[in-house]
Amino acid sequence: MKRLVLAAVALATVAGPIAASAQPGQERREDRREQREDRRDAGRHVGPAGARELNRDRAAINRDRRELRYDRRRAETYRDRTEWRTYRGARPGYWYAPGYGYHPQVRGHAWRRGAYVPSAYRGYYVQDPYYYGLRAPPRGHRWVYADGNFVLMALASGLIASVILNGY
């Protein structure tokens, strides 16, 4: 029994350093470092023509982003979006929450900063605020759909921090 334990300890002592030297993580780290250096070098050697090309590419990307935003003047901007799939036009007495469907309006509620969002509206989160041109909500807040308006509310209390009337 002692011999078996001693043989196992000896084998572990010899095999440990060999196995540690064969780990691929170190090689990957070196490869990533070389790639970063290559990117830095490529950025340093960009001449005026290359800089103009980079600016054109950035401008094209920004133009594409603007075209993907919601524009209430152009009906086709929302038609391909999944959350608008069930929209069938305006209905009297109802409002449409994209992705959630039609809901009856709550009468007599004024959407203003400092008020509270009724509990009936607190679950209708805006899935993609950037599509509507909204800023990112701060920590602890969410944009919600409310009677055709965008309301930025505190999640804990429902306190309204900002309102965009007739946003969509």
Side-chain angles (χ1 to χ4, degrees):
M1 182 73 166
K2 278 186 177 179
R3 287 184 185 174
L4 184 61
V5 172
L6 287 175
V9 170
L11 181 63
T13 305
V14 173
I18 294 171
S21 66
Q23 289 182 352
Q26 183 69 23
E27 294 171 7
R28 275 189 250 138
R29 214 174 301 130
E30 290 172 3
D31 289 343
R32 279 185 266 152
R33 189 176 304 127
E34 288 174 9
Q35 288 174 351
R36 280 195 306 266
E37 290 170 2
D38 290 343
R39 283 195 300 264
R40 269 192 235 124
D41 290 342
R44 282 188 204 127
H45 301 297
V46 172
R52 280 193 297 272
E53 186 175 323
L54 286 173
N55 287 337
R56 260 190 309 237
D57 291 344
R58 286 187 190 124
I61 289 169
N62 289 336
R63 187 173 44 257
D64 291 345
R65 284 184 185 156
R66 280 192 303 272
E67 289 174 0
L68 291 175
R69 283 197 174 161
Y70 176 72
D71 184 3
R72 58 187 305 182
R73 294 171 300 212
R74 294 184 10 225
E76 68 274 4
T77 59
Y78 73 87
R79 293 201 190 279
D80 293 334
R81 304 277 300 186
T82 57
E83 63 261 25
W84 287 90
R85 189 175 302 150
T86 58
Y87 182 68
R88 300 291 180 253
R91 291 183 180 175
Y94 290 87
W95 63 282
Y96 183 76
Y100 299 101
Y102 288 95
H103 301 282
Q105 289 179 332
V106 175
R107 299 278 181 212
H109 188 77
W111 300 105
R112 59 181 167 67
R113 189 174 179 195
Y116 290 90
V117 175
S119 59
Y121 291 91
R122 291 187 186 181
Y124 301 120
Y125 298 134
V126 175
Q127 292 94 358
D128 187 6
Y130 308 106
Y131 171 70
Y132 296 102
L134 303 171
R135 61 185 164 91
R139 175 177 273 159
H141 290 74
R142 286 293 292 264
W143 286 102
V144 293
Y145 300 109
D147 290 338
N149 309 309
F150 293 113
V151 177
L152 181 64
M153 72 165 193
L155 287 173
S157 62
L159 182 69
I160 298 174
S162 181
V163 177
I164 297 177
L165 295 173
N166 300 319
Y168 66 99

